[in-house]
Amino acid sequence: MSTPDLTRRLVAELLGTGLLVTVVVGSGIAAQRLSPDDVGMQLLENSTATFLGLTVLILLFGPISGGHFNPVVSAADWVLGRRAGTGLTGTEVLAYSGVQVVGAVAGAVLANLMYDVPLDQLSTTERTGANLLLGEVVATAGLVALIFALARTGRGMLAAPAVGAYIGAAYWFTSSTSFANPAVTIGRIFSDTFAGIAPGSAPAFIAAQLVGGLVGVGLVRYLFPGAALVADDVVVPHHPHEHTDPAEHP
């Protein structure tokens, strides 16, 4: 068995990120229409669909590309693995991030088409305030720490349900409802619905996510100093080689 070539991995990231945004935006539209007077029920419906959809998408595409679907995760993979010669290269991070953004925008457009939402309207949902940005830092840091902790301790195959559960929970325990993903944030600009974010709010959200990614990397380096050895297996194992027992590497 050989490592999937870069083109196949990029297609997997394109489709995975696109369908993730379709799930987020589509379920947001459905929730808004099914429960028009109950924002709490809308959030419950949206978060449940995202939890289940993300889990399935990681299971489907993870064995090909790792199932990153997130530029912060791809960048963290490079940062942690570069000294050990594992994980993505800098060129691959740029390629992954590019297709993730394209996929995210396409996914929002697909959701709009399915629900007959006008394609020429950007989101008008303002999401501003230091409290929301702090929520994004917390959500993204926790996501990065979780992913690499699972890989480092040989539990990468649990990443699909664990990551899905974390994001589903973070919808509720973070003030920002846990975007935690620059590509998804950009994609959600293109739908003026419950799940959208206004273009003017997106840059600060993305900046907070990058800060959260750095915090997450710092936590991983401190708590799991051998994480670089398993960067090839993030988010889920997708390389043919096998690593030695993580416990053997302090």
Side-chain angles (χ1 to χ4, degrees):
M1 178 180 178
S2 60
T3 302
D5 61 65
L6 181 58
T7 300
R8 288 176 58 206
R9 285 185 281 144
L10 293 179
V11 170
E13 287 294 303
L14 176 75
L15 293 174
T17 311
L19 291 173
L20 173 58
V21 174
T22 300
V23 168
V24 172
V25 173
S27 63
I29 297 171
Q32 192 172 26
R33 294 180 179 180
L34 292 170
S35 308
D37 301 317
D38 191 336
V39 176
M41 183 58 69
Q42 292 174 12
L43 188 61
L44 177 61
E45 293 160 349
N46 193 204
S47 63
T48 301
T50 301
F51 159 42
L52 296 174
L54 179 56
T55 299
V56 170
L57 291 171
I58 293 174
L59 289 172
L60 177 60
F61 296 111
I64 302 171
S65 67
H68 294 193
F69 313 149
N70 187 334
V72 169
V73 173
S74 298
D77 190 49
W78 171 73
V79 170
L80 286 169
R82 61 194 178 95
R83 291 183 179 178
T86 58
L88 297 180
T89 66
T91 300
E92 288 173 330
V93 170
L94 292 176
Y96 265 50
S97 298
V99 299
Q100 289 158 356
V101 171
V102 171
V105 174
V109 171
L110 176 59
N112 289 340
L113 288 171
M114 289 195 294
Y115 283 94
D116 197 25
V117 173
L119 299 181
D120 60 349
Q121 297 179 359
L122 300 181
S123 177
T124 56
T125 303
E126 298 286 344
R127 301 177 188 266
T128 59
N131 61 314
L132 299 188
L133 300 182
L134 177 59
E136 281 301 289
V137 172
V138 171
T140 311
L143 176 64
V144 170
L146 170 64
I147 288 169
F148 285 91
L150 290 172
R152 179 66 181 91
T153 55
R155 296 175 295 163
M157 293 310 297
L158 295 176
V163 170
Y166 175 80
I167 293 297
Y171 262 76
W172 291 91
F173 76 76
T174 65
S175 56
S176 62
T177 67
S178 183
F179 285 49
N181 185 328
V184 168
T185 301
I186 293 171
R188 290 168 71 165
I189 291 173
F190 292 86
S191 186
D192 190 17
T193 61
F194 174 77
I197 180 172
S201 300
F205 259 55
I206 293 171
Q209 291 155 6
L210 296 176
V211 171
L214 291 173
V215 173
V217 167
L219 286 172
V220 170
R221 280 180 166 168
Y222 179 72
L223 296 173
F224 303 95
L229 299 172
V230 292
D232 282 336
D233 292 335
V234 170
V235 170
V236 298
H238 56 287
H239 285 66
H241 61 271
E242 295 184 1
H243 297 288
T244 55
D245 185 354
E248 297 176 4
H249 300 276

